[in-house]
Amino acid sequence: MGGPQSANDPAMSAELHFVQQAIDAKTPVLGICLGAQLIAKALGAHVYRNREKEIGWAPSICTPQPRRIRYLAVCPPPQCFFTGTTKPHLPPGADSLAYSDKCRQQAFRYREAVYGIQFHPEITAEMILDWCDQPVNRGDADTLDDPIDPHAEDTAPFAQHILEGWLATF
């Protein structure tokens, strides 16, 4: 899931190793935000702070790939999701599943059961309010032109659909 850390932080080495072991063992992996960064880094991709800020609600456009993935096929073009500032490049051998105007990789798939989703389909208004109030996030939140409306979108049905579909692959 998400967090203020980066997959590049040395303190994340144990988590990165764990993700690499899971991928090597062909264990299904679903990473959201920081989890997607860890997957991308474990697969050899560069993880970086996006040049343009994309914090808050932003439209993500699904590539044609998700139409072939049962539980991602409901992604209407475009769908607004909550997103942050750090992004991965597309890992070698992975398929791009979604992008936005400011970020070329919002979601990707590696092989059949490893998925990285950079945006937050699981977000709730309470989570947004909490994140915006945390000192570690204040720097980015204070630079926004407008405050984030925590109630602007409801992505819970899509998040549930993703999770239930992914779990059904086991």
Side-chain angles (χ1 to χ4, degrees):
M1 298 304 281
Q5 308 90 334
S6 166
N8 296 320
D9 292 344
M12 298 298 294
S13 63
E15 288 83 354
L16 188 59
H17 181 70
F18 178 77
V19 169
Q20 182 65 60
Q21 286 181 313
I23 293 170
D24 290 346
K26 296 185 171 67
T27 302
V29 180
L30 174 62
I32 296 176
C33 191
L34 177 59
Q37 295 169 35
L38 288 166
I39 292 169
K41 188 166 180 81
L43 293 172
H46 178 65
V47 176
Y48 61 98
R49 189 168 176 90
N50 209 34
R51 281 184 228 127
E52 290 187 71
K53 284 197 187 246
E54 186 178 57
I55 302 169
W57 299 105
S60 287
I61 299 111
C62 289
T63 66
Q65 286 285 340
R67 291 184 186 90
R68 293 189 297 224
I69 302 167
R70 182 173 27 97
Y71 54 92
L72 292 178
V74 298
C75 183
Q79 170 80 36
C80 277
F81 293 106
F82 197 81
T83 189
T85 59
T86 305
K87 310 292 182 187
H89 280 156
L90 183 65
D95 296 313
S96 180
L97 301 178
Y99 62 94
S100 68
D101 287 341
K102 295 181 182 178
C103 177
R104 292 174 51 177
Q105 292 310 319
Q106 286 288 4
F108 61 87
R109 174 182 68 172
Y110 179 74
R111 296 186 181 150
E112 292 302 313
V114 177
Y115 290 85
I117 300 173
Q118 191 57 45
F119 51 79
H120 287 275
E122 85 291 357
I123 199 78
T124 65
E126 293 77 21
M127 290 168 71
I128 293 171
L129 292 170
D130 179 55
W131 288 354
C132 289
D133 198 38
Q134 292 177 13
V136 70
N137 298 325
R138 288 295 330 150
D140 283 330
D142 288 344
T143 64
L144 299 175
D145 293 335
D146 298 306
I148 297 170
D149 178 358
H151 302 283
E153 300 286 336
D154 178 14
T155 58
F158 188 67
Q160 183 174 350
H161 186 74
I162 289 174
L163 183 58
E164 287 174 354
W166 182 75
L167 288 172
T169 65
F170 287 87

